[in-house]
Amino acid sequence: EVQVVESGGGLVQPGGSLRVSCAASGFAFNTYWMNWVRQAPGKGLEWVASVNQDGSEKYYVDSVKGRFTVSRDNAKNSLHLQMNSLRVEDTGVYYCARDHRAAGLFFDSWGQGTLATVSS
Amino acid sequence: DIQMTQSPSTLSASVGDRVTITCRASQSLSTSLAWYQQKPGKAPKLLIYKASTLETGVPSRFSGSGSGTEFTLTISSLQPDDFATYYCQQFNNNWDLTFGGGTKVEIK
């Protein structure tokens, strides 16, 4: 069974850092693009970042470029999002999502999410 | 950036109704569009990808159509389990990936 499980959320002050992680199982992790999508409380979905199979290609939404870094460890089937210089508007549930591998980038397996709260 | 406009934002319907949700893109997407269902406190679930391809395991009452800038998600006969929020999502080759604002389907 395909599973992705996020961890690492919490409360952090503006300007602080947080690292969220995703543990994957049940599929060949090193053959899939992996992604982060977030959702502010009561709001819609926002794509955050994507990384290719070997970690050599990384893409970000403009609002997090220079502050967030996506990485993966294929030996441990894990995905990470290092978030620095956090802002109040970064508050939300962060989902780890697997690429469907159809043409384009669509998300076919999601974790339950981990909540990151940026507040003083 | 490509903007995705979903309508309506809220929809009230009864079990058995035919429901249609529209997503309009500010630029042509060809068929690079997906639809997701999200229930409160849960992760989104992929329903349709490439505009009209039904994801494995999704009931056939769900269908997607459209290309270019206008897309629709249709539920042919609304079931109690279908009351949820639905999002469209586009992806283009310039790594401009965006979701629509969502459509909440409520019980009438």
Side-chain angles (χ1 to χ4, degrees), chain A residues 33 35 37 39 43-47 49-51 57 59-62 95 100 102-108 110-113, chain B residues 1 31-34 36 38 41-46 48-51 55 87 89-91 93 95-101:
Chain A
W33 282 77
N35 313 274
V37 176
Q39 187 168 35
K43 302 297 185 182
L45 300 166
E46 181 182 38
W47 167 72
S50 298
V51 59
E57 294 183 50
Y59 299 93
Y60 303 91
V61 68
D62 284 348
Y95 293 103
H100 185 278
L105 191 70
F106 308 118
F107 311 122
D108 68 347
W110 299 64
Q112 83 289 348
Chain B
D1 293 1
T31 58
S32 191
L33 184 111
Y36 299 86
Q38 187 179 33
K42 302 294 186 182
K45 173 187 175 183
L46 178 65
I48 303 280
Y49 62 95
K50 288 169 67 178
E55 172 69 342
Y87 294 94
Q89 175 240 316
Q90 67 83 18
F91 172 73
N93 292 334
W95 282 94
D96 176 16
L97 191 157
T98 49
F99 291 87

Side-chain angles (χ1 to χ4, degrees), chain A residues 35-75:
Chain A
N35 313 274
W36 290 100
V37 176
R38 68 184 177 184
Q39 187 168 35
K43 302 297 185 182
L45 300 166
E46 181 182 38
W47 167 72
V48 175
S50 298
V51 59
N52 73 338
Q53 291 90 337
D54 65 5
S56 62
E57 294 183 50
K58 301 176 183 182
Y59 299 93
Y60 303 91
V61 68
D62 284 348
S63 60
V64 309
K65 284 179 183 175
R67 301 188 298 121
F68 289 14
T69 301
V70 61
S71 63
R72 64 190 298 161
D73 183 342
N74 286 341

Side-chain angles (χ1 to χ4, degrees), chain B residues 68-89:
Chain B
T69 62
E70 186 154 337
F71 301 86
T72 58
L73 172 71
T74 300
I75 309 172
S76 60
S77 177
L78 196 66
Q79 298 302 300
D81 191 48
D82 301 339
F83 291 97
T85 300
Y86 294 84
Y87 294 94
C88 61
Q89 175 240 316

